[in-house]
Amino acid sequence: MKMDIVGVEDVHILDPELLQLPCLSPSPLKASSHIADELFSHWLSLPETATLVKSLIDEAKSATPTNLSKSYATINVPGATPLVFLSNGTPPLSPRSSPGSPRFSRQRASPPSLRSPLRSVKEPKHELIPQFYFLHGRPPAKELKEQCISMVDHFFSNFIDGLHVDEFKSITKEVCKLPSYLSPALFRKMDPDCTGIVTRDAFIKYWIDGNMLTMDTASQIYNILRQQDCMYLRQADFKPLLDELLATHPGLQFLRTTSEFQERYAETVIYRIFYYINRSGTGCLTLRELKRGNLIAAMQQLDEEDDINKIIRYFSYEHFYVIYCRFWELDGDHDCYIDKDNLIKYGNHALTYRIVDRIFSQAPRKFTSKVEGKMSYEDFVYFILAEEDKSSEPSLEYWFKCIDLDGNGVITPNEIQFFFEEQLHRMESITQEPVHFNDILCQIIDMIKPEEENCITLQDLKGSKLSGNVFNILFNLNKFMAFETRDPFLIRQEREDPSLTEWDRFAQREYVRLSMEEDVEEVSNGSADEPLEPPF
């Protein structure tokens, strides 16, 4: 018996036992196997069977689930008992299958999921990242806010109408935890209309609602001092701080009758602040620069120390005295400007003409002086700080620009020789034993240990503790000779207090010298006439 199944090539692999015929009892089939074979052959000859088998093979190849019950329900075998297939469920298992057989296990096992494996992966939960940047500062926590409001209520309980500026200092120190000398500047921030009174609501609006409470100290001071909508601090922004310091600090009480020197002191402090902290040299002090410097610590020390001279960073009056007196000595006509001829006299003619020319060419720093060819007091402050403390980074940058003649960022042997030639000539003129340039060059290379032997970079200088001596070798004869002889007095001074900088030790020595000279002058003049020097 033949059957023609078009496109069906796999019929021969069909196992009759896999045909589940629930209408027949399995026992007769076991007894007479030829009956089952004939029945199976007759079933295969039916047209419907060909269609069914073909669809089953196609669906098996395409891995599409098959609804066998529905397909079998439409097939009848002539001459045999009608095959009544259940259409409301899955066909029963083959009679020859047993619970322990492998086929039983395969049929009972759940078919593998045909869905995309990506769908079986559990969707990740979207976790909310808490906000970490706040344009106007992080809002205070509830407990911190309530604690601060409680302290504010306590301070304002006796001042229902508000606080005046002279009553505001205590709240600046105890509530805001800021140096008291910032009190007038903070008061003006809370009283923009200049009513002369700060109310409780105005304080809470600026300090708590404005998120000043949660800022670090440097950011608080920065926001208090800077002008509105300005992203940096200018020199003028420090004026309110210095005015309050001069008016109320016990260590500066003796200056209150001399307004001229009060102004000079305030200028000197501001110039020193910008020299050390404004590393960009733009005159615009950023928040980043303020945080990296040590100004905040010095400002906090003002409330703790009555002796202003013990605050050697920026605010020492003795340091101001030394700077201004040195300037006054060089300024022969007292027009508050000095020229090349004046500066060459500095330190008992310690500097070479070539280095003075480089300074007045404004190579290390553009002058603020409006008079051509002359240096202002501010320019002199930068010069003396750089000259007397060559171990500091601002000083190294100042003098590096002077020696780097072509401005290419490296100091070459030719540039070193250019400056040392004049130094060598001066040594010969005072009958000192001359030193050959090659020996000096080898000494400098040994001191700095640059990455490249034939050139010295600024980074090379900053990485050596002897960099300051290199500049002294090139253009300061007095300090060069002191370095060569290893002055025991200077060595002992360094060992007594290693925390002091070269500038600190210089200011100490110079203040003693100037004080002794003033005492001698007063005695010789009978204290009758005022000297030309400023009366400190």
Side-chain angles (χ1 to χ4, degrees):
M1 189 178 298
K2 297 182 179 180
M3 84 173 179
D4 186 14
I5 303 177
V6 180
V8 180
E9 302 174 353
D10 300 323
V11 175
H12 64 280
I13 64 173
L14 292 176
D15 186 354
E17 296 181 0
L18 295 178
L19 295 175
Q20 301 172 358
L21 304 177
C23 59
L24 299 177
S25 173
S27 55
L29 293 177
K30 290 181 180 180
S32 302
S33 59
H34 67 278
I35 298 177
D37 293 336
E38 291 180 359
L39 183 62
F40 176 68
S41 299
H42 179 71
W43 177 76
L44 287 178
S45 65
L46 298 176
E48 295 88 351
T49 304
T51 303
L52 173 63
V53 171
K54 183 177 184 302
S55 64
L56 290 174
I57 294 174
D58 292 339
E59 290 174 353
K61 289 181 178 180
S62 63
T64 304
T66 303
N67 191 344
L68 295 175
S69 60
K70 182 177 180 180
S71 301
Y72 289 147
T74 61
I75 300 177
N76 293 321
V77 180
T81 306
L83 302 178
V84 182
F85 292 152
L86 298 178
S87 60
N88 60 346
T90 304
L93 294 175
S94 170
R96 303 185 72 174
S97 300
S98 61
S101 68
R103 190 167 72 236
F104 177 83
S105 302
R106 287 199 304 269
Q107 290 175 343
R108 295 295 294 177
S110 299
S113 175
L114 299 179
R115 294 179 301 170
S116 171
L118 296 178
R119 295 190 179 184
S120 62
V121 179
K122 188 177 182 181
E123 293 287 339
K125 293 183 178 179
H126 296 285
E127 297 182 2
L128 294 178
I129 300 176
Q131 184 177 353
F132 57 87
Y133 173 74
F134 301 86
L135 179 60
H136 302 291
R138 180 183 294 274
K142 182 179 179 181
E143 294 181 0
L144 181 62
K145 183 176 181 179
E146 292 176 351
Q147 182 181 3
C148 184
I149 290 177
S150 176
M151 295 179 65
V152 172
D153 290 340
H154 173 73
F155 271 93
F156 279 91
S157 60
N158 297 326
F159 301 93
I160 305 300
D161 297 330
L163 293 170
H164 293 85
V165 65
D166 56 336
E167 302 165 334
F168 198 73
K169 184 172 288 191
S170 59
I171 201 171
T172 301
K173 289 180 61 177
E174 299 183 30
V175 176
C176 301
K177 309 297 183 184
L178 292 173
S180 63
Y181 299 99
L182 286 168
S183 182
L186 179 59
F187 186 91
R188 281 191 286 272
K189 285 288 185 178
M190 297 183 183
D191 182 28
D193 298 329
C194 299
T195 62
I197 293 177
V198 170
T199 62
R200 171 191 176 278
D201 294 340
F203 183 94
I204 291 178
K205 178 181 178 181
Y206 179 82
W207 191 254
I208 300 179
D209 297 342
N211 300 331
M212 289 285 287
L213 176 61
T214 56
M215 294 183 185
D216 57 87
T217 305
S219 299
Q220 291 172 344
I221 294 176
Y222 172 79
N223 283 287
I224 292 171
L225 293 179
R226 71 183 176 94
Q227 299 298 314
Q228 188 174 3
D229 300 327
C230 189
M231 301 308 295
Y232 53 83
L233 293 175
R234 302 168 299 174
Q235 291 186 1
D237 295 332
F238 287 89
K239 197 67 169 58
L241 169 67
L242 271 300
D243 288 344
E244 180 68 10
L245 183 69
L246 286 162
T248 60
H249 197 282
L252 297 171
Q253 186 174 1
F254 67 98
L255 269 184
R256 292 173 190 168
T257 57
T258 55
S259 58
E260 177 186 355
F261 299 120
Q262 281 187 328
E263 184 177 352
R264 285 298 186 188
Y265 169 81
E267 290 175 352
T268 306
V269 171
I270 293 174
Y271 297 155
R272 292 182 67 188
I273 290 172
F274 275 76
Y275 171 80
Y276 284 106
I277 299 181
N278 182 214
R279 301 303 303 281
S280 62
T282 60
C284 302
L285 191 64
T286 63
L287 175 60
R288 178 182 177 86
E289 290 175 325
L290 185 64
K291 288 183 175 182
R292 294 178 65 179
N294 55 0
L295 177 61
I296 304 301
M299 292 174 64
Q300 292 171 332
Q301 196 177 356
L302 291 171
D303 280 323
E304 304 168 1
E305 184 57 64
D306 290 341
D307 187 354
I308 196 70
N309 293 316
K310 291 184 178 180
I311 310 174
I312 58 178
R313 299 291 168 260
Y314 314 110
F315 297 101
S316 170
Y317 175 80
E318 291 181 355
H319 290 193
F320 154 70
Y321 183 85
V322 168
I323 295 173
Y324 191 72
C325 285
R326 275 299 186 102
F327 180 80
W328 183 266
E329 289 175 348
L330 298 176
D331 181 19
D333 55 4
H334 304 302
D335 62 348
C336 294
Y337 294 100
I338 58 178
D339 55 21
K340 289 183 182 180
D341 295 334
N342 299 138
L343 189 62
I344 202 68
K345 301 174 184 177
Y346 181 84
N348 194 20
H349 296 81
L351 303 175
T352 63
Y353 283 94
R354 290 182 179 180
I355 199 65
V356 171
D357 288 341
R358 287 291 288 169
I359 293 171
F360 275 83
S361 71
Q362 304 181 39
R365 180 179 181 271
K366 185 175 178 59
F367 285 173
T368 59
S369 170
K370 303 301 181 183
V371 181
E372 187 175 355
K374 290 197 173 184
M375 175 187 285
S376 68
Y377 177 64
E378 179 180 352
D379 302 323
F380 178 78
V381 172
Y382 275 71
F383 160 76
I384 193 174
L385 292 174
E387 168 58 23
E388 300 302 340
D389 188 4
K390 293 189 177 74
S391 64
S392 67
E393 289 197 3
S395 175
L396 294 177
E397 293 170 2
Y398 187 97
W399 295 118
F400 181 87
K401 294 175 183 177
C402 286
I403 305 301
D404 183 17
L405 294 174
D406 54 8
N408 65 346
V410 296
I411 296 176
T412 62
N414 290 336
E415 290 167 331
I416 294 175
Q417 186 174 15
F418 173 79
F419 285 96
F420 185 72
E421 283 177 351
E422 185 179 353
Q423 193 82 308
L424 180 60
H425 176 71
R426 299 176 73 195
M427 293 171 63
E428 293 175 345
S429 65
I430 59 174
T431 68
Q432 289 284 341
E433 182 181 355
V435 180
H436 296 291
F437 172 71
N438 289 336
D439 295 335
I440 285 296
L441 182 60
C442 289
Q443 184 179 5
I444 290 175
I445 296 299
D446 290 341
M447 293 166 65
I448 302 301
K449 294 180 174 58
E451 292 187 5
E452 298 183 18
E453 188 173 346
N454 293 327
C455 62
I456 298 175
T457 65
L458 181 59
Q459 289 303 118
D460 293 332
L461 291 171
K462 289 182 177 181
S464 172
K465 295 182 179 180
L466 299 175
S467 300
N469 295 317
V470 172
F471 293 124
N472 290 332
I473 291 173
L474 298 181
F475 55 76
N476 191 312
L477 183 59
N478 296 345
K479 292 184 178 180
F480 175 39
M481 300 309 299
F483 172 70
E484 287 295 311
T485 58
R486 302 295 193 274
D487 189 339
F489 174 74
L490 297 178
I491 295 175
R492 184 174 68 252
Q493 209 178 28
E494 292 177 6
R495 290 176 178 174
E496 286 176 355
D497 194 346
S499 64
L500 295 179
T501 65
E502 291 183 15
W503 165 256
D504 298 332
R505 288 189 285 269
F506 164 79
Q508 282 182 347
R509 297 192 306 269
E510 195 65 10
Y511 184 79
V512 172
R513 181 187 70 82
L514 293 169
S515 300
M516 292 177 63
E517 288 181 0
E518 186 174 340
D519 292 340
V520 171
E521 188 173 350
E522 288 181 357
V523 171
S524 61
N525 293 335
S527 300
D529 300 323
E530 287 287 339
L532 285 177
E533 284 77 7
F536 296 110

